[in-house]
């Protein structure tokens, strides 16, 4: 596997011939507490209900990124490439095989969120890594890898393109207005209350104004914070509240779609003090962490085939209304 940069869009692509890639989902399940062939455990959260643990991070059995070595950035004529150095972890969300985030107790979900905060903070100590991404693919069309409830965590030597777009836009907005664009969005959305799905004292779930896919939903802290891990690990953490809102939001999304992608957008690694990052002087003020949930609706797949311009056949106003109406527990 190697990383190649598209010289036009400047986005990195991981590529290589990997015909031997086999499923790492075994029967019986290797991610269950006493599973055979269990992958190497990186970190484990204590149990909240007498079980062996509540959530844990393990080494991905078929990693796309390798932890050892230097990226060896090099050119090939006009092209750029580097070794696929990074971290690739599986976050086992729960010891119970059949208990997904939206079914687990809020205390379990809170442990999962806290573990993510810890893993991000830990991986950011490695100066080689510019970004840590947490994502979940649920359902076969989403590319789900394991039957056991898991999310994926990667640490990369580059900032993924979508995040880079957001960072640049947030910085530009801040340089003009000296305000965080996400804080402004939250204030306006709460005031208009048409695209808000649910709000709590410290968090809000809403369908973004220009949703890319039907029922796209973002979950954001109402108080400004660029780093998820600082909110997750800080004093008086509000993770319990976030855990419940996440549970509710996923229940709402699943009332409409069987499959989804979920991705956490937090600030990049500022330990990496290269010239490249120099333009993020206002990062703490201009960026605002959030969790994006992108449902996949088979019958609305047109919105995915028309890649040049996003086409979402359900307006975010209708989407928010339907999501609000879904029952939650
Ligand atoms: Zn299992
Ligand atoms: Zn903000
Ligand atoms: Zn985002």
């Amino acid at each position: 596997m190697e990383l190649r940069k598209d010289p036009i869009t400047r986005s990195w692509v991981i590529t290589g011939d990997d015909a031997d890639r086999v499923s790492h989902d075994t029967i019986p399940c290797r991610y269950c507490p006493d599973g055979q062939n269990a992958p190497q455990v990186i970190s484990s959260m204590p149990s909240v209900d007498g079980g062996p643990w509540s959530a844990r991070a393990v080494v991905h059995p078929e990693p796309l990124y390798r932890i050892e070595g230097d990226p060896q950035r090099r050119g090939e004529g006009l092209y750029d490439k580097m070794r696929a150095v990074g971290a690739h972890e599986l976050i086992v969300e729960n010891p119970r095989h059949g208990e997904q985030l939206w079914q687990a107790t809020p205390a379990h979900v809170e442990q999962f969120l806290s573990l993510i905060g810890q893993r991000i903070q830990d991986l950011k100590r490695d100066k080689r890594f510019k970004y840590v991404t947490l994502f979940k693919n649920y359902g076969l069309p989403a590319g789900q890898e394991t039957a056991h409830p898991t999310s994926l965590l990667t640490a990369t030597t580059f900032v993924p393109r979508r995040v880079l777009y957001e960072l640049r836009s947030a910085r530009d907005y801040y340089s003009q207005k000296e305000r965080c664009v996400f804080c402004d969005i939250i204030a306006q959305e709460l005031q208009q209350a048409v695209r808000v799905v649910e709000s709590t004292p410290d968090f809000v779930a809403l369908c973004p104004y220009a949703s890319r896919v039907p029922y796209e939903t973002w979950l954001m802290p109402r108080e400004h914070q660029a780093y998820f891990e600082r909110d997750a690990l800080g004093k008086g953490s509000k993770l319990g509240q976030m855990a419940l809102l996440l549970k509710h939001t996923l229940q709402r999304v699943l009332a409409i779609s069987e499959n989804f992608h979920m991705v956490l957008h937090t600030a990049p690694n500022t330990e990496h003090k290269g010239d490249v990052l120099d333009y993020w002087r206002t990062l703490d003020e201009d960026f605002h962490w959030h969790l994006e949930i992108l449902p996949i609706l088979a019958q609305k797949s047109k919105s995915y085939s028309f890649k040049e311009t996003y086409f979402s056949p359900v307006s975010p106003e209708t989407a928010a209304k339907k999501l609000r109406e879904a029952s939650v527990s």
Side-chain angles (χ1 to χ4, degrees), residues 62 102 115 122 127 148 179 199 206 214 262 279 295 308 329:
E62 300 262 325
W102 51 93
L115 175 64
D122 185 43
K127 292 185 171 62
H148 199 103
R179 297 200 306 262
S199 65
L206 56 85
M262 178 173 92
Y279 56 90
E308 299 300 306
S329 55

Side-chain angles (χ1 to χ4, degrees), residues 28-33 94-98 147-149:
C29 172
R30 68 201 299 186
Y31 303 105
C32 277
N94 194 307
R96 292 183 197 89
H97 192 84
H148 199 103

Side-chain angles (χ1 to χ4, degrees), residues 180-183 223-225 285-288:
C180 161
V181 61
F182 295 93
C183 282
E223 194 174 317
H224 181 80
Q225 175 57 266
E285 288 80 40
D286 69 39
F287 193 65
H288 192 124

Side-chain angles (χ1 to χ4, degrees), residues 11-30:
S11 56
W12 287 94
V13 174
I14 184 158
T15 184
D17 296 314
D18 199 7
D20 297 336
R21 218 173 152 76
V22 287
S23 167
H24 56 87
D25 210 10
T26 54
I27 300 170
C29 172
R30 68 201 299 186

Side-chain angles (χ1 to χ4, degrees), residues 49-178:
D49 58 6
W53 37 270
S54 57
R56 64 188 194 177
V58 301
V59 175
H60 195 293
E62 300 262 325
L64 285 176
Y65 299 97
R66 303 278 171 179
I67 199 90
E68 311 85 19
D70 183 80
Q72 297 172 5
R73 289 166 191 275
R74 56 199 191 280
E76 195 176 357
L78 73 93
Y79 301 121
D80 295 303
K81 65 176 183 178
M82 60 180 164
R83 290 180 55 229
V85 170
H88 196 173
E89 302 180 2
L90 269 167
I91 308 291
V92 187
E93 295 159 3
N94 194 307
R96 292 183 197 89
H97 192 84
E99 200 170 275
Q100 295 284 350
L101 285 175
W102 51 93
Q103 299 157 328
T105 61
H108 255 117
V109 181
E110 192 177 342
Q111 292 289 86
F112 160 73
L113 293 171
S114 176
L115 175 64
I116 296 168
Q118 289 180 23
R119 292 309 305 135
I120 293 175
Q121 194 181 52
D122 185 43
L123 286 162
K124 280 184 170 179
R125 288 196 190 103
D126 192 323
K127 292 185 171 62
R128 293 173 304 165
F129 302 149
K130 286 189 185 167
Y131 199 77
V132 184
T133 310
L134 177 281
F135 57 103
K136 178 174 177 68
N137 299 328
Y138 182 72
L140 287 182
Q144 180 181 338
E145 292 181 27
T146 63
H148 199 103
T150 58
S151 296
L152 294 141
L153 193 94
T154 58
T156 49
T157 51
F158 59 94
V159 180
R161 186 175 62 152
R162 167 83 196 171
V163 184
L164 207 49
Y165 282 168
E166 290 186 4
L167 287 164
R168 288 176 180 151
S169 301
R171 183 201 54 197
D172 291 350
Y173 188 91
Y174 189 86
S175 72
Q176 286 165 23
K177 308 198 185 198
E178 290 189 53

Side-chain angles (χ1 to χ4, degrees), residues 225-244:
Q225 175 57 266
Y227 300 82
F228 167 78
E229 59 276 22
R230 286 188 193 163
D231 261 354
L233 306 173
K235 270 204 200 119
S237 155
K238 293 156 184 148
L239 281 190
Q241 211 184 101
M242 184 188 166
L244 191 60

